[in-house]
């Protein structure tokens, strides 16, 4: 195991229930999370990301497999013996304790001296900018403030890893954006490894150093946000993170022939078969659209345009009936000059086309 | 005035019915309180204001003994019932809901549904066999009997208190390095406390005024305040009973007000 690994998950399986009613929440997940990185587990609900988080926190133990923290096996350690803290989705602040006592709870349970506790609490209050709220009860705080208390409480004992279980989902959009920046700042300032669980792809892309995409108990792809977005490993990743159009065709070397007709060169073909039928993905914003029907490119017919403010989404049909979406930046006038029925030509850079592996 | 939405208070006769019911509920109690200050012996004829029945009742040795016995039983029974009810409430609310949960609720609240007279007869028979076997004749039987029927009264406010609480609080505590005992001591117990105190008071009041079960279970010479009063009234209607009732009423009002304030706070 590399020196800089904070959490290592080895072939973890988690099955709930028994016999016919058994549900496999995690189906053999292996993963290494580096020290001081902001790692995000991203996936739709029920994909197993929260289960994986619970295994690391110690609220559940894996059916098979191992969890290692900084190199030592913690698979069956109870949560109170793991130097790992959690920020809960519901915050789970203690309603009978003041903000300061909530933040100092972990240190108090560890039996640290009073002076150290009050010093750390003061530092944490400053870190999350709640100095004035020390004596309030959680019930007297707004949702965003409660969120900050939950963060401070989990950070106060200086855990080796901080787990965050969809902590922003209860906040409104404005506050969520602020907290995203705040979280990233805290992670950089404290240098603590963050493991963040979310189903929000935008949250994952903006905050993470690396993202692990999960589906149905499997880890599909791990990589930095750019790699995940520009080189998705399969169709699920391509459609879950951002929008994608899917085109079918035949590949031969680095020449891709669309079922709808035109041939084109492709950039990378990593993971995809060298010859035969394949599916390719292309992002809506990577396609250029021209009203000219001459020259090379893919001929298409506009079926619908939807105005989104900064963007205009244009649905076009290819010769074989495949419908794809093109995202255009709205011009100053707001009118892209395309209408249902317009004959257009689609163009894109060779590198924009992503050939997907067969079994996706 | 423009609001035409349904309002039960605007139905014809609503005020009349409401007033009639309140009069029926509170007039007899008001009469009792008023006549406890009656100067004469008669409980039906007002002969002027006097406080004589209060010291007179207090001077009665039998009243003093019955009061002391009632307080002993109510205190012990309420503490036992609240302890059991707290454990039951923790067991039924601080974990994931399981199948058969409503059956468990039903079992715990059984004393509310079984006719009291049935419980009374059952306890009488049950305790007599124990009395024969052990020879013990003390207050223990009454305390146990009262504790049993007080459990649901203590259970309901505690359960109401715990049900509103996030299940992940104990998980969060464990995550923050607390052992099971520390979690109970620093999280669960402080949170359940207001409910437990409310349950304790409700159980105390319920035990204090029980007649039916007490009559069946008590041995000779074990009169509680209510059974003593019943015996007095059978003999002759005494204004002394009015004075005792008024004091009991006062105690109940004080306890129930405290109960109300406790359950309302911080919710």
């Amino acid at each position: 195991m590399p020196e800089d690994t904070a959490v290592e998950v080895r072939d973890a399986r988690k099955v709930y229930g028994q016999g016919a009613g058994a549900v496999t929440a995690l189906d053999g997940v292996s993963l290494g999370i580096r020290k001081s990185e902001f790692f995000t587990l991203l996936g739709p609900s029920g994909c197993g990301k929260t289960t994986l988080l619970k295994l690391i926190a110690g609220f559940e133990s894996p059916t098979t497999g191992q969890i290692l923290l900084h190199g030592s096996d913690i698979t069956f350690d109870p949560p109170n013996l793991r130097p790992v803290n959690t920020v809960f989705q519901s915050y789970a602040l203690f309603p009978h304790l003041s903000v300061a006592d909530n933040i100092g709870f972990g240190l108090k349970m560890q039996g640290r001296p009073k002076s150290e506790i009050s010093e750390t609490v003061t530092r944490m209050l400053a870190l999350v900018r709640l100095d004035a709220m020390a004596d309030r009860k959680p019930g007297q705080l707004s949702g965003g403030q409660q969120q900050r208390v939950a963060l401070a409480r989990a950070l106060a004992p200086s855990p080796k890893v901080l787990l965050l279980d969809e902590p922003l989902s209860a906040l409104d959009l404005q506050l969520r954006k602020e907290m995203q920046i705040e979280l990233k700042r805290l992670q950089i300032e404290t240098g603590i490894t963050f493991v963040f669980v979310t189903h929000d792809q935008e949250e994952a892309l903006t905050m993470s150093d690396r993202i692990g995409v999960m589906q149905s108990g499997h880890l599909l792809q791990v990589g930095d946000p750019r790699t995940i977005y520009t080189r998705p490993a399969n169709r699920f990743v391509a459609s879950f993170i951002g929008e994608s159009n899917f085109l079918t065709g035949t590949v031969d070397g680095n020449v891709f022939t669309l079922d709808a007709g035109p041939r084109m060169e492709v950039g990378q073909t990593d993971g995809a078969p060298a010859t035969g039928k394949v599916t390719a993905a292309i992002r809506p914003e990577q396609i250029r659209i021209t009203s000219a029907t001459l020259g090379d490119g893919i001929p298409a017919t506009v079926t619908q345009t939807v105005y989104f403010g900064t963007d205009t989404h244009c649905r076009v049909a290819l010769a074989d009936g495949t419908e794809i979406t093109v995202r255009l930046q709205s011009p100053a006038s707001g009118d892209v000059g395309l209408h249902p029925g317009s004959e257009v030509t689609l163009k894109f850079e060779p590198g924009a086309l992503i050939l997907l592996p067969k079994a996706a | 005035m423009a609001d035409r939405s349904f309002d039960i208070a605007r139905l014809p006769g609503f005020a009349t019915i409401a007033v009639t019911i309140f009069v029926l509920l509170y007039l007899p109690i008001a009469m009792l309180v008023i006549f406890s200050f009656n100067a004469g012996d008669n409980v039906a004829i007002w002969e002027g204001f006097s406080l004589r029945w209060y010291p007179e009742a207090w001077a009665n040795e039998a009243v003093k003994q019955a009061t002391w016995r009632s307080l002993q039983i109510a205190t012990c029974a309420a503490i036992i019932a609240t302890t059991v009810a707290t454990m039951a409430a923790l067991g039924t609310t601080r974990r994931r809901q399981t199948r058969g949960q409503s059956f468990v609720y039903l079992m715990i609240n059984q004393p509310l549904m079984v006719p009291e007279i049935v419980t009374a007869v059952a306890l009488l028979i049950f305790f007599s066999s124990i009395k024969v076997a052990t020879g013990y004749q003390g207050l223990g039987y009454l305390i146990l009997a009262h504790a049993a029927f007080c459990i649901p009264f203590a259970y309901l406010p505690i359960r109401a208190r715990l049900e509103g609480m996030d299940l992940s609080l104990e998980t969060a505590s464990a995550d923050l390095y607390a052992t099971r005992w520390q979690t109970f001591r620093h999280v669960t117990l402080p949170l359940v406390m207001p409910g437990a105190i409310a349950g304790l008071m409700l159980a105390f009041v319920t035990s204090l005024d029980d007649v039916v079960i007490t009559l069946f279970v008590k041995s000779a010479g074990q009169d509680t305040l209510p059974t003593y009063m019943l015996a007095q009234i059978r003999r002759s209607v005494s204004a002394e009973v009015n004075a005792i009732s008024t004091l009991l009423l006062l105690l109940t009002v004080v306890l129930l007000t405290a109960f109300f304030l406790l359950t309302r706070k911080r919710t």
Side-chain angles (χ1 to χ4, degrees):
Chain A
M1 190 189 75
E3 267 294 284
D4 68 340
T5 305
V7 179
E8 196 190 351
V9 180
R10 282 188 192 160
D11 197 28
R13 277 173 55 80
K14 179 69 187 177
V15 183
Y16 290 105
Q18 282 175 333
V23 177
T24 305
L26 279 182
D27 199 0
V29 169
S30 293
L31 170 70
I33 297 168
R34 295 177 196 139
K35 282 179 190 167
S36 301
E37 87 172 326
F38 197 121
F39 190 91
T40 298
L41 288 167
L42 175 66
S45 57
C47 70
K49 56 192 193 298
T50 298
T51 304
L52 187 53
L53 202 75
K54 284 179 178 169
L55 294 187
I56 301 172
F59 306 142
E60 308 265 7
S61 21
T63 312
T64 58
Q66 269 184 305
I67 313 284
L68 287 86
L69 182 72
H70 285 206
S72 52
D73 188 340
I74 56 158
T75 313
F76 296 106
D77 287 355
N80 57 314
L81 297 181
R82 299 183 186 205
V84 170
N85 291 142
T86 309
V87 177
F88 293 83
Q89 189 169 11
S90 60
Y91 312 149
L93 296 175
F94 304 123
H96 60 295
L97 297 179
S98 69
V99 166
D101 288 342
N102 262 286
I103 296 174
F105 190 87
L107 295 164
K108 189 176 167 191
M109 293 303 115
Q110 287 179 317
R112 304 279 183 85
K114 276 212 171 73
S115 57
E116 187 197 328
I117 296 176
S118 72
E119 191 192 306
T120 310
V121 168
T122 312
R123 200 157 39 80
M124 286 297 143
L125 282 168
L127 190 69
V128 297
R129 297 169 183 150
L130 283 176
D131 315 64
M133 306 288 170
D135 299 322
R136 302 255 185 111
K137 291 279 169 64
Q140 298 168 293
L141 302 181
S142 70
Q145 290 170 331
Q146 290 186 20
Q147 170 72 81
R148 283 162 205 264
V149 177
L151 262 168
R153 184 181 70 175
L155 284 170
S158 303
K160 287 190 172 136
V161 176
L162 186 76
L163 307 174
L164 303 108
D165 185 9
E166 308 217 14
L168 307 183
S169 58
L171 304 177
D172 60 48
L173 186 67
Q174 187 61 36
L175 210 49
R176 197 155 66 222
K177 300 252 183 215
E178 279 173 34
M179 282 309 293
Q180 287 178 9
I181 297 164
E182 186 88 3
L183 270 179
K184 189 70 192 168
R185 177 182 70 87
L186 285 173
Q187 195 263 328
I188 292 166
E189 269 179 41
T190 57
I192 290 173
T193 311
F194 276 35
V195 182
F196 185 85
V197 160
T198 185
H199 61 263
D200 183 331
Q201 44 110 1
E202 190 195 309
E203 231 166 68
L205 290 173
T206 53
M207 289 193 287
S208 321
D209 293 318
R210 287 197 306 153
I211 299 171
V213 185
M214 295 187 68
Q215 185 208 12
S216 318
H218 294 275
L219 189 63
L220 301 180
Q221 187 177 9
V222 177
D224 64 85
R226 279 187 183 78
T227 308
I228 296 275
Y229 189 79
T230 58
R231 308 247 62 94
N234 58 35
R235 188 174 177 136
F236 177 82
V237 178
S239 59
F240 190 74
I241 291 112
E243 268 181 83
S244 284
N245 294 302
F246 296 102
L247 303 168
T248 52
T250 320
V251 73
D252 185 9
N254 63 348
V255 176
F256 179 65
T257 310
L258 266 181
D259 287 349
R263 302 152 64 87
M264 61 204 70
E265 276 191 28
V266 290
Q268 287 165 281
T269 56
D270 40 82
T275 52
K277 296 282 285 179
V278 288
T279 299
I282 184 152
R283 300 292 183 185
E285 70 276 12
Q286 295 296 331
I287 306 172
R288 279 172 292 122
I289 202 160
T290 51
S291 44
T293 50
L294 295 168
D296 45 318
I298 308 169
T301 312
V302 176
T303 57
Q304 192 189 10
T305 60
V306 183
Y307 181 63
F308 274 86
T310 55
D311 296 333
T312 300
H313 291 198
C314 197
R315 294 283 289 171
V316 299
L318 306 188
D320 65 344
T322 312
E323 284 224 352
I324 65 173
T325 302
V326 180
R327 190 183 300 162
L328 307 166
Q329 209 168 16
S330 303
S333 68
D335 185 8
V336 292
L338 297 168
H339 307 284
S342 303
E343 297 288 323
V344 293
T345 302
L346 308 178
K347 289 183 178 183
F348 44 80
E349 299 295 322
L353 199 67
I354 309 150
L355 294 190
L356 299 171
K358 198 86 181 160
Chain B
M1 285 302 281
D3 184 8
R4 287 177 181 272
S5 64
F6 180 74
D7 183 353
I8 200 164
R10 295 221 192 101
L11 290 182
F14 177 84
T16 322
I17 293 169
V19 168
T20 313
I21 288 171
F22 275 113
V23 166
L24 279 174
L25 277 174
Y26 289 102
L27 186 64
I29 296 176
M31 294 278 289
L32 172 114
V33 173
I34 292 167
F35 274 92
S36 75
F37 297 108
N38 191 359
D41 287 2
N42 199 302
V43 288
I45 305 157
W46 181 255
E47 291 174 34
F49 180 83
S50 156
L51 285 174
R52 63 178 275 226
W53 294 112
Y54 288 87
E56 208 151 298
W58 190 240
N60 185 338
E61 199 57 34
V63 173
K64 264 196 244 179
Q65 277 183 9
T67 307
W68 175 234
R69 204 172 286 121
S70 271
L71 290 177
Q72 273 179 297
I73 294 169
T75 308
C76 295
I79 291 171
I80 296 171
T82 307
T83 310
V84 173
T86 304
M87 292 193 284
L90 287 173
T92 50
T93 59
R94 303 311 288 161
R95 60 204 195 92
R96 265 188 231 112
Q97 299 288 302
T98 48
R99 274 168 52 202
Q101 191 91 352
S102 26
F103 180 70
V104 172
Y105 289 151
L106 210 68
M107 292 297 286
I108 293 168
N109 292 327
Q110 168 270 120
L112 290 181
M113 282 163 277
V114 175
E116 208 182 345
I117 191 76
V118 175
T119 313
V121 174
L123 285 173
L124 170 69
I125 296 165
F126 181 64
F127 285 149
S128 351
S129 52
I130 298 180
K131 273 182 201 172
V132 170
T134 63
Y136 172 70
Q137 297 281 340
L139 279 184
Y141 300 110
L142 277 172
I143 291 172
L144 279 182
H146 280 224
F149 73 74
C150 284
I151 288 172
F153 292 96
Y155 174 76
L156 291 173
I158 300 172
R159 181 184 143 195
R161 169 90 195 160
L162 286 175
E163 253 178 0
M165 266 165 48
D166 188 352
L167 270 181
S168 53
L169 289 175
E170 276 97 347
T171 314
S173 171
D175 187 60
L176 291 160
Y177 314 109
T179 59
R180 277 164 197 273
W181 166 246
Q182 282 178 313
T183 297
F184 181 74
R185 161 79 185 71
H186 294 287
V187 178
T188 315
L189 199 60
L191 287 172
V192 79
M193 223 39 192
I197 292 171
L200 188 79
M201 289 190 303
L202 214 55
F204 184 82
V205 169
T206 309
S207 161
L208 205 60
D209 81 350
D210 178 75
V211 175
V212 178
I213 289 176
T214 313
L215 270 182
F216 276 73
V217 171
K218 77 182 180 70
S219 308
Q222 286 189 340
D223 264 321
T224 61
L225 206 48
T227 61
Y228 168 79
M229 287 158 71
L230 184 65
Q232 285 308 103
I233 280 174
R234 273 212 209 108
R235 234 173 283 147
S236 64
V237 184
S238 156
E240 181 187 277
V241 172
N242 284 354
I244 301 169
S245 301
T246 305
L247 288 173
L248 271 178
L249 180 70
L250 188 70
L251 177 68
T252 312
V253 167
V254 167
L255 283 176
L256 288 183
T257 309
F259 164 82
F260 175 74
L261 290 176
L262 264 174
T263 45
R264 204 184 50 159
K265 218 170 117 188
R266 272 198 236 137
T267 44

